[in-house]
mmCIF file of all heavy atoms in Angstrom:
data_model
loop_
_atom_site.group_PDB
_atom_site.id
_atom_site.type_symbol
_atom_site.label_atom_id
_atom_site.label_comp_id
_atom_site.label_asym_id
_atom_site.label_seq_id
_atom_site.Cartn_x
_atom_site.Cartn_y
_atom_site.Cartn_z
ATOM 1 N N LEU A 205 8.352 13.059 21.589
ATOM 2 C CA LEU A 205 8.003 14.425 21.230
ATOM 3 C C LEU A 205 8.315 14.604 19.758
ATOM 4 O O LEU A 205 9.482 14.675 19.369
ATOM 5 C CB LEU A 205 8.788 15.439 22.072
ATOM 6 C CG LEU A 205 8.418 16.903 21.833
ATOM 7 C CD1 LEU A 205 7.005 17.187 22.333
ATOM 8 C CD2 LEU A 205 9.422 17.827 22.518
ATOM 9 N N GLN A 206 7.268 14.640 18.960
ATOM 10 C CA GLN A 206 7.422 14.867 17.534
ATOM 11 C C GLN A 206 7.386 16.366 17.281
ATOM 12 O O GLN A 206 6.386 17.020 17.563
ATOM 13 C CB GLN A 206 6.311 14.177 16.756
ATOM 14 C CG GLN A 206 6.374 14.391 15.251
ATOM 15 C CD GLN A 206 7.590 13.751 14.630
ATOM 16 O OE1 GLN A 206 7.838 12.561 14.830
ATOM 17 N NE2 GLN A 206 8.368 14.524 13.882
ATOM 18 N N MET A 207 8.459 16.886 16.767
ATOM 19 C CA MET A 207 8.598 18.308 16.541
ATOM 20 C C MET A 207 8.652 18.572 15.050
ATOM 21 O O MET A 207 9.470 17.992 14.337
ATOM 22 C CB MET A 207 9.864 18.845 17.220
ATOM 23 C CG MET A 207 9.943 18.520 18.708
ATOM 24 S SD MET A 207 11.393 19.252 19.499
ATOM 25 C CE MET A 207 12.698 18.300 18.720
ATOM 26 N N THR A 208 7.779 19.439 14.585
ATOM 27 C CA THR A 208 7.763 19.827 13.186
ATOM 28 C C THR A 208 7.868 21.337 13.076
ATOM 29 O O THR A 208 7.612 22.066 14.030
ATOM 30 C CB THR A 208 6.487 19.337 12.488
ATOM 31 O OG1 THR A 208 5.333 19.867 13.155
ATOM 32 C CG2 THR A 208 6.407 17.820 12.505
ATOM 33 N N ASN A 209 8.224 21.783 11.886
ATOM 34 C CA ASN A 209 8.393 23.214 11.633
ATOM 35 C C ASN A 209 9.229 23.870 12.721
ATOM 36 O O ASN A 209 8.854 24.890 13.302
ATOM 37 C CB ASN A 209 7.033 23.894 11.514
ATOM 38 C CG ASN A 209 7.129 25.308 10.975
ATOM 39 O OD1 ASN A 209 8.085 25.658 10.285
ATOM 40 N ND2 ASN A 209 6.139 26.136 11.295
ATOM 41 N N LEU A 210 10.358 23.287 12.975
ATOM 42 C CA LEU A 210 11.230 23.798 14.032
ATOM 43 C C LEU A 210 11.714 25.203 13.720
ATOM 44 O O LEU A 210 11.945 25.556 12.563
ATOM 45 C CB LEU A 210 12.412 22.860 14.230
ATOM 46 C CG LEU A 210 12.083 21.596 15.020
ATOM 47 C CD1 LEU A 210 13.127 20.517 14.778
ATOM 48 C CD2 LEU A 210 11.986 21.920 16.509
ATOM 49 N N LYS A 211 11.859 25.972 14.774
ATOM 50 C CA LYS A 211 12.283 27.350 14.678
ATOM 51 C C LYS A 211 13.550 27.561 15.497
ATOM 52 O O LYS A 211 13.798 26.820 16.451
ATOM 53 C CB LYS A 211 11.184 28.280 15.190
ATOM 54 C CG LYS A 211 9.859 28.133 14.466
ATOM 55 C CD LYS A 211 8.797 29.029 15.079
ATOM 56 C CE LYS A 211 7.478 28.896 14.345
ATOM 57 N NZ LYS A 211 6.431 29.772 14.927
ATOM 58 N N PRO A 212 14.340 28.567 15.163
ATOM 59 C CA PRO A 212 15.556 28.818 15.950
ATOM 60 C C PRO A 212 15.273 28.987 17.443
ATOM 61 O O PRO A 212 16.103 28.575 18.261
ATOM 62 C CB PRO A 212 16.107 30.105 15.335
ATOM 63 C CG PRO A 212 15.658 30.046 13.917
ATOM 64 C CD PRO A 212 14.281 29.430 13.968
ATOM 65 N N GLU A 213 14.142 29.548 17.795
ATOM 66 C CA GLU A 213 13.815 29.732 19.197
ATOM 67 C C GLU A 213 13.492 28.432 19.922
ATOM 68 O O GLU A 213 13.334 28.425 21.142
ATOM 69 C CB GLU A 213 12.658 30.729 19.374
ATOM 70 C CG GLU A 213 11.440 30.403 18.542
ATOM 71 C CD GLU A 213 11.382 31.194 17.246
ATOM 72 O OE1 GLU A 213 12.424 31.316 16.571
ATOM 73 O OE2 GLU A 213 10.297 31.704 16.912
ATOM 74 N N ASP A 214 13.393 27.331 19.184
ATOM 75 C CA ASP A 214 13.234 26.022 19.804
ATOM 76 C C ASP A 214 14.563 25.452 20.293
ATOM 77 O O ASP A 214 14.577 24.411 20.957
ATOM 78 C CB ASP A 214 12.604 25.029 18.829
ATOM 79 C CG ASP A 214 11.184 25.400 18.450
ATOM 80 O OD1 ASP A 214 10.416 25.823 19.347
ATOM 81 O OD2 ASP A 214 10.831 25.256 17.267
ATOM 82 N N THR A 215 15.649 26.097 19.956
ATOM 83 C CA THR A 215 16.960 25.629 20.377
ATOM 84 C C THR A 215 17.051 25.598 21.898
ATOM 85 O O THR A 215 16.807 26.603 22.566
ATOM 86 C CB THR A 215 18.059 26.529 19.807
ATOM 87 O OG1 THR A 215 18.058 26.430 18.381
ATOM 88 C CG2 THR A 215 19.425 26.121 20.335
ATOM 89 N N ALA A 216 17.384 24.449 22.429
ATOM 90 C CA ALA A 216 17.449 24.264 23.868
ATOM 91 C C ALA A 216 17.897 22.841 24.157
ATOM 92 O O ALA A 216 17.976 22.001 23.257
ATOM 93 C CB ALA A 216 16.084 24.511 24.519
ATOM 94 N N VAL A 217 18.172 22.585 25.415
ATOM 95 C CA VAL A 217 18.314 21.221 25.877
ATOM 96 C C VAL A 217 16.935 20.744 26.303
ATOM 97 O O VAL A 217 16.261 21.402 27.102
ATOM 98 C CB VAL A 217 19.307 21.104 27.044
ATOM 99 C CG1 VAL A 217 19.389 19.662 27.537
ATOM 100 C CG2 VAL A 217 20.687 21.594 26.618
ATOM 101 N N TYR A 218 16.518 19.623 25.776
ATOM 102 C CA TYR A 218 15.203 19.079 26.053
ATOM 103 C C TYR A 218 15.319 17.944 27.055
ATOM 104 O O TYR A 218 16.132 17.029 26.894
ATOM 105 C CB TYR A 218 14.551 18.581 24.764
ATOM 106 C CG TYR A 218 14.027 19.711 23.913
ATOM 107 C CD1 TYR A 218 14.901 20.577 23.264
ATOM 108 C CD2 TYR A 218 12.661 19.924 23.776
ATOM 109 C CE1 TYR A 218 14.430 21.631 22.507
ATOM 110 C CE2 TYR A 218 12.179 20.974 23.007
ATOM 111 C CZ TYR A 218 13.070 21.821 22.380
ATOM 112 O OH TYR A 218 12.583 22.858 21.621
ATOM 113 N N TYR A 219 14.491 18.016 28.075
ATOM 114 C CA TYR A 219 14.508 17.050 29.155
ATOM 115 C C TYR A 219 13.175 16.332 29.262
ATOM 116 O O TYR A 219 12.114 16.936 29.094
ATOM 117 C CB TYR A 219 14.782 17.735 30.493
ATOM 118 C CG TYR A 219 16.133 18.383 30.605
ATOM 119 C CD1 TYR A 219 16.304 19.718 30.263
ATOM 120 C CD2 TYR A 219 17.233 17.670 31.061
ATOM 121 C CE1 TYR A 219 17.542 20.329 30.367
ATOM 122 C CE2 TYR A 219 18.471 18.275 31.169
ATOM 123 C CZ TYR A 219 18.621 19.604 30.824
ATOM 124 O OH TYR A 219 19.847 20.205 30.939
ATOM 125 N N CYS A 220 13.252 15.078 29.579
ATOM 126 C CA CYS A 220 12.091 14.258 29.872
ATOM 127 C C CYS A 220 11.968 14.112 31.381
ATOM 128 O O CYS A 220 12.952 13.799 32.059
ATOM 129 C CB CYS A 220 12.256 12.887 29.211
ATOM 130 S SG CYS A 220 10.968 11.691 29.565
ATOM 131 N N GLY A 221 10.782 14.342 31.904
ATOM 132 C CA GLY A 221 10.561 14.240 33.335
ATOM 133 C C GLY A 221 9.432 13.290 33.683
ATOM 134 O O GLY A 221 8.442 13.185 32.952
ATOM 135 N N ARG A 222 9.590 12.599 34.793
ATOM 136 C CA ARG A 222 8.571 11.672 35.278
ATOM 137 C C ARG A 222 7.689 12.338 36.312
ATOM 138 O O ARG A 222 8.181 12.861 37.310
ATOM 139 C CB ARG A 222 9.226 10.437 35.881
ATOM 140 C CG ARG A 222 8.228 9.330 36.213
ATOM 141 C CD ARG A 222 8.849 8.203 37.010
ATOM 142 N NE ARG A 222 9.060 8.578 38.413
ATOM 143 C CZ ARG A 222 9.212 7.704 39.403
ATOM 144 N NH1 ARG A 222 9.189 6.395 39.147
ATOM 145 N NH2 ARG A 222 9.421 8.134 40.644
ATOM 146 N N GLY A 223 6.388 12.282 36.089
ATOM 147 C CA GLY A 223 5.436 12.862 37.008
ATOM 148 C C GLY A 223 4.997 11.885 38.067
ATOM 149 O O GLY A 223 5.352 10.705 38.049
ATOM 150 N N PRO A 224 4.207 12.359 39.012
ATOM 151 C CA PRO A 224 3.708 11.478 40.076
ATOM 152 C C PRO A 224 2.659 10.506 39.561
ATOM 153 O O PRO A 224 2.125 10.660 38.462
ATOM 154 C CB PRO A 224 3.112 12.462 41.091
ATOM 155 C CG PRO A 224 2.736 13.662 40.280
ATOM 156 C CD PRO A 224 3.766 13.750 39.187
ATOM 157 N N LEU A 225 2.372 9.508 40.372
ATOM 158 C CA LEU A 225 1.367 8.525 40.017
ATOM 159 C C LEU A 225 -0.013 9.152 39.917
ATOM 160 O O LEU A 225 -0.391 10.002 40.721
ATOM 161 C CB LEU A 225 1.341 7.414 41.059
ATOM 162 C CG LEU A 225 2.488 6.403 41.034
ATOM 163 C CD1 LEU A 225 2.459 5.557 42.292
ATOM 164 C CD2 LEU A 225 2.397 5.530 39.789
ATOM 165 N N TYR A 226 -0.756 8.732 38.929
ATOM 166 C CA TYR A 226 -2.169 9.087 38.762
ATOM 167 C C TYR A 226 -2.412 10.586 38.746
ATOM 168 O O TYR A 226 -3.423 11.069 39.263
ATOM 169 C CB TYR A 226 -3.010 8.420 39.856
ATOM 170 C CG TYR A 226 -2.732 6.949 40.002
ATOM 171 C CD1 TYR A 226 -2.199 6.434 41.176
ATOM 172 C CD2 TYR A 226 -2.981 6.077 38.948
ATOM 173 C CE1 TYR A 226 -1.933 5.079 41.301
ATOM 174 C CE2 TYR A 226 -2.713 4.726 39.065
ATOM 175 C CZ TYR A 226 -2.189 4.232 40.241
ATOM 176 O OH TYR A 226 -1.923 2.892 40.372
ATOM 177 N N ALA A 227 -1.494 11.303 38.169
ATOM 178 C CA ALA A 227 -1.596 12.750 38.116
ATOM 179 C C ALA A 227 -1.904 13.214 36.703
ATOM 180 O O ALA A 227 -1.510 12.582 35.725
ATOM 181 C CB ALA A 227 -0.301 13.392 38.603
ATOM 182 N N ASN A 228 -2.593 14.337 36.625
ATOM 183 C CA ASN A 228 -2.800 14.971 35.330
ATOM 184 C C ASN A 228 -1.497 15.587 34.848
ATOM 185 O O ASN A 228 -0.635 15.941 35.659
ATOM 186 C CB ASN A 228 -3.863 16.059 35.434
ATOM 187 C CG ASN A 228 -5.247 15.504 35.643
ATOM 188 O OD1 ASN A 228 -5.601 14.472 35.068
ATOM 189 N ND2 ASN A 228 -6.044 16.187 36.452
ATOM 190 N N PRO A 229 -1.336 15.732 33.545
ATOM 191 C CA PRO A 229 -0.141 16.435 33.068
ATOM 192 C C PRO A 229 -0.107 17.842 33.631
ATOM 193 O O PRO A 229 -1.134 18.523 33.688
ATOM 194 C CB PRO A 229 -0.310 16.427 31.545
ATOM 195 C CG PRO A 229 -1.765 16.167 31.312
ATOM 196 C CD PRO A 229 -2.215 15.309 32.450
ATOM 197 N N ASP A 230 1.063 18.258 34.035
ATOM 198 C CA ASP A 230 1.212 19.517 34.737
ATOM 199 C C ASP A 230 2.290 20.358 34.086
ATOM 200 O O ASP A 230 3.268 19.830 33.554
ATOM 201 C CB ASP A 230 1.561 19.253 36.204
ATOM 202 C CG ASP A 230 1.503 20.506 37.043
ATOM 203 O OD1 ASP A 230 0.396 20.910 37.433
ATOM 204 O OD2 ASP A 230 2.578 21.082 37.306
#
């Protein structure tokens, strides 16, 4: 995840999640 022009409201814990097989991004 390339993040540019970061803003204070972007402050958070960022998590990576694995989706199901052969699924569209959801």
